[in-house]
């Protein structure tokens, strides 16, 4: 199997598996219990917390662990809106955000929040003049992602945060696809990240909160995470997340350079006839979303069973619905069904990527001949 679905999830790093091992088997104590075992587990969690915070690289705030980035985003959005004074119930977000943001905002809109979803340009970038015109003193939150999960396009997060702050709003950044791959942009008040996108375990994420900008609690109960997010923390998941964050931080330049080389090799191996979806300049290069006139992307995936790639986000692929991101770029139904996403990273070898791209290109040409 050649794995080219790095935006959906990433393979667990061997170093992470080794760090987690003792906490899976013998070190099972509850980190919130006062026994020596409990205290050791709590101490390991605090080491992991520092490792994740260091990899996020922002100052003036701290993280709370969550069960996923989806939870972190729900918490940030709902908890921020809870706190705002009457009349300040506007949320601004962007049409290409992940469902964890869009659906949460829609849910709040169904309960009276005033939601603005800004369109993007044909290259997937947000027009900042549009944002400027949409901002007013009633805006409580501006939510924009740094790297898009479907097309890899980046947004100017620091500028967006500045604009939000000038209007008196908080800024939330979904940094799930940026974390560990690019430097996280300075400026946001709230940042959501996930372990399984950086070669860590599934089932754990984190919300970074600027001091003073913490949202109201989403989960109530035992008062863990300073009373902000109740629920027993999992030492094995926290330790795994910490180890993955530390590794990503140490290897950032090496991983980044590797991805640049892979991108060039993939584009070359695919050959002519493909169009890249989204900005070529403003992007993370470990995400290659491409389309080809007349291609049936779903059929291509079915034909190439031993290459794992997707039509867009894992969720969009499963539903059979055309991607909301590609539609936001102005692609019609046919063009979005003719698009595929190749995602690669740390453990992808150039040889396997080139082989996969050549096979993808050959199958695409064969489809054309069959359909002619
Ligand atoms: N945001 C983005 C950009 C993502 O790619 C994902 C995962 O696909 C999420 C949020 C949700 O992350 P999690 O799987 O940790 O809930």
């Amino acid at each position: 199997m050649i794995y080219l679905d790095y935006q959906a999830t990433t393979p667990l790093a061997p170093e992470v598996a080794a760090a987690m091992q003792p906490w899976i088997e013998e070190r099972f104590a509850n980190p919130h219990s006062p026994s020596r075992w409990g205290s050791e587990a709590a101490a390991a969690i605090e080491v992991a917390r520092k490792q994740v915070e260091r990899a996020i690289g922002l100052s003036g705030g701290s993280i709370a662990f969550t069960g996923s980035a989806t939870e972190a985003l729900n918490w940030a959005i709902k908890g921020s809106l809870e706190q705002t004074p009457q009349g300040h119930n506007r949320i601004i977000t962007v049409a290409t955000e992940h469902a964890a943001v869009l659906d949460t905002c829609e849910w709040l809109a169904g309960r009276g929040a005033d939601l603005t979803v800004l369109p993007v340009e044909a290259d997937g970038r947000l027009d900042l003049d549009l944002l400027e015109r949409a901002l007013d003193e009633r805006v409580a939150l501006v939510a924009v992602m740094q790297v898009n999960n479907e097309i890899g396009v980046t947004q100017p997060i620091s500028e967006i945060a500045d604009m939000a702050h000038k209007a008196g709003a908080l800024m939330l950044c979904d940094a799930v696809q940026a974390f560990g791959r690019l430097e996280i942009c300075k400026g946001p008040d709230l940042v959501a990240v996930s372990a399984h996108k950086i070669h860590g375990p599934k089932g754990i994420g984190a919300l970074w909160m600027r001091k003073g900008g913490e949202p109201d609690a989403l989960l109530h109960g035992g008062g863990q995470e300073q009373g902000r997010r109740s629920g027993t923390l999992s030492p094995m998941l926290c330790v795994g997340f910490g180890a993955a964050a530390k590794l990503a931080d140490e290897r950032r330049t090496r991983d980044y350079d590797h991805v640049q080389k892979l991108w060039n090799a993939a584009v070359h191996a695919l050959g002519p006839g493909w169009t890249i979806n989204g900005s070529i300049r403003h992007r993370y290069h470990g995400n290659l979303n491409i389309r080809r006139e007349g291609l049936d992307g779903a059929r291509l995936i079915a034909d190439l069973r031993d290459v794992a790639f997707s039509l867009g986000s894992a969720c969009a692929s499963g539903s059979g619905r055309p991607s909301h991101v590609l539609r936001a770029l102005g692609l019609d139904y046919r063009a979005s069904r003719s698009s595929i996403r190749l995602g690669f990273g740390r453990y992808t070898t150039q040889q396997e990527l080139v082989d996969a791209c050549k096979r993808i290109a050959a199958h695409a040409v064969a489809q054309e001949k069959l359909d002619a």
Side-chain angles (χ1 to χ4, degrees):
M1 165 78 81
I2 302 178
Y3 185 74
L4 300 180
D5 207 8
Y6 266 60
Q7 279 70 43
T9 198
T10 53
L12 196 72
E15 295 89 335
V16 172
M20 289 173 71
Q21 194 56 44
W23 301 97
I24 296 172
E25 290 178 351
E26 69 267 26
R27 308 187 79 175
F28 58 82
N30 186 324
H32 312 295
S33 93
S35 70
R36 186 164 65 86
W37 284 9
S39 309
E40 283 171 9
I45 288 174
E46 290 319 303
V47 170
R49 189 186 304 282
K50 286 278 161 283
Q51 289 169 327
V52 175
E53 286 175 350
R54 198 166 306 128
I56 289 175
L58 300 175
S59 55
S62 58
I63 61 154
F65 287 113
T66 60
S68 61
T70 298
E71 183 193 320
L73 291 163
N74 269 261
W75 178 16
I77 298 167
K78 293 177 187 170
S80 299
L81 262 280
E82 281 285 310
Q83 285 179 339
T84 52
Q86 194 127 49
H88 289 247
N89 68 341
R90 286 194 62 210
I91 311 172
I92 299 181
T93 189
V94 179
T96 47
E97 293 296 301
H98 190 272
V101 167
L102 288 176
D103 289 6
T104 307
C105 292
E106 290 289 353
W107 184 85
L108 283 169
R111 279 155 186 76
D114 181 356
L115 174 63
T116 303
V117 182
L118 296 174
V120 290
E121 306 278 288
D123 66 355
R125 295 266 289 175
L126 174 64
D127 175 354
L128 294 188
D129 288 339
L130 220 56
L131 174 63
E132 187 67 62
R133 287 201 291 278
L135 281 164
D136 65 28
E137 71 291 343
R138 291 175 302 124
V139 177
L141 186 72
V142 177
V144 184
M145 69 194 347
Q146 185 171 337
V147 175
N148 187 275
N149 52 307
E150 290 198 36
I151 53 174
V153 169
T154 54
Q155 302 290 358
I157 296 300
S158 298
E159 283 160 82
I160 293 169
D162 273 355
M163 291 166 73
H165 292 156
K166 281 196 187 109
L170 291 173
M171 202 261 158
L172 163 66
C173 177
D174 172 349
V176 168
Q177 297 288 343
F179 185 43
R181 297 171 178 171
L182 303 176
E183 202 173 310
I184 293 186
C185 294
K186 310 268 180 285
D189 306 284
L190 298 156
V191 176
V193 294
S194 185
H196 73 100
K197 310 288 184 175
I198 62 159
H199 307 285
K202 291 169 188 59
I204 183 162
L207 180 64
W208 182 89
M209 297 164 274
R210 184 176 301 292
K211 199 167 166 29
E214 298 92 349
D216 278 0
L218 178 70
L219 302 178
H220 304 273
Q224 289 89 348
E225 297 298 78
Q226 298 185 315
R228 298 206 174 95
R229 196 269 183 183
S230 288
T232 304
L233 287 173
S234 161
M236 73 173 174
L237 294 179
C238 294
V239 165
F241 195 1
K246 180 168 179 278
L247 201 59
D249 210 23
E250 287 166 357
R251 296 184 48 128
R252 176 124 11 105
T253 311
R254 204 161 119 209
D255 285 352
Y256 180 87
D257 291 347
H258 179 56
V259 160
Q260 298 297 116
K261 285 197 192 103
L262 291 176
W263 165 277
N264 290 334
V267 170
H268 184 74
L270 282 164
W274 300 92
T275 305
I276 295 171
N277 291 322
S279 169
I280 295 181
R281 191 161 148 238
H282 301 284
R283 69 158 44 252
Y284 168 63
H285 286 100
N287 179 328
L288 180 54
N289 192 316
I290 42 176
R291 67 178 191 275
R292 189 182 180 95
E293 180 69 33
L295 180 77
D296 181 339
R299 206 164 101 204
L300 192 66
I301 288 174
D303 286 349
L304 285 163
R305 278 317 218 180
D306 56 343
V307 184
F309 59 105
S310 75
L311 292 177
S313 74
C315 333
S317 296
S319 70
R321 275 183 288 152
S323 146
H324 72 282
V325 173
L326 297 182
R327 262 187 294 132
L329 302 193
L331 266 59
D332 62 15
Y333 180 79
R334 252 175 78 89
S336 56
R337 299 301 293 176
S338 301
S339 297
I340 55 169
R341 182 186 68 186
L342 310 180
F344 35 84
R346 186 186 298 166
Y347 301 114
T348 315
T349 67
Q350 187 157 325
Q351 188 59 56
E352 64 179 349
L353 180 61
V354 166
D355 285 352
C357 286
K358 285 189 174 158
R359 287 177 59 205
I360 286 170
H363 271 76
V365 170
Q367 258 192 30
E368 274 161 26
K369 288 198 180 127
L370 218 67
D371 295 342

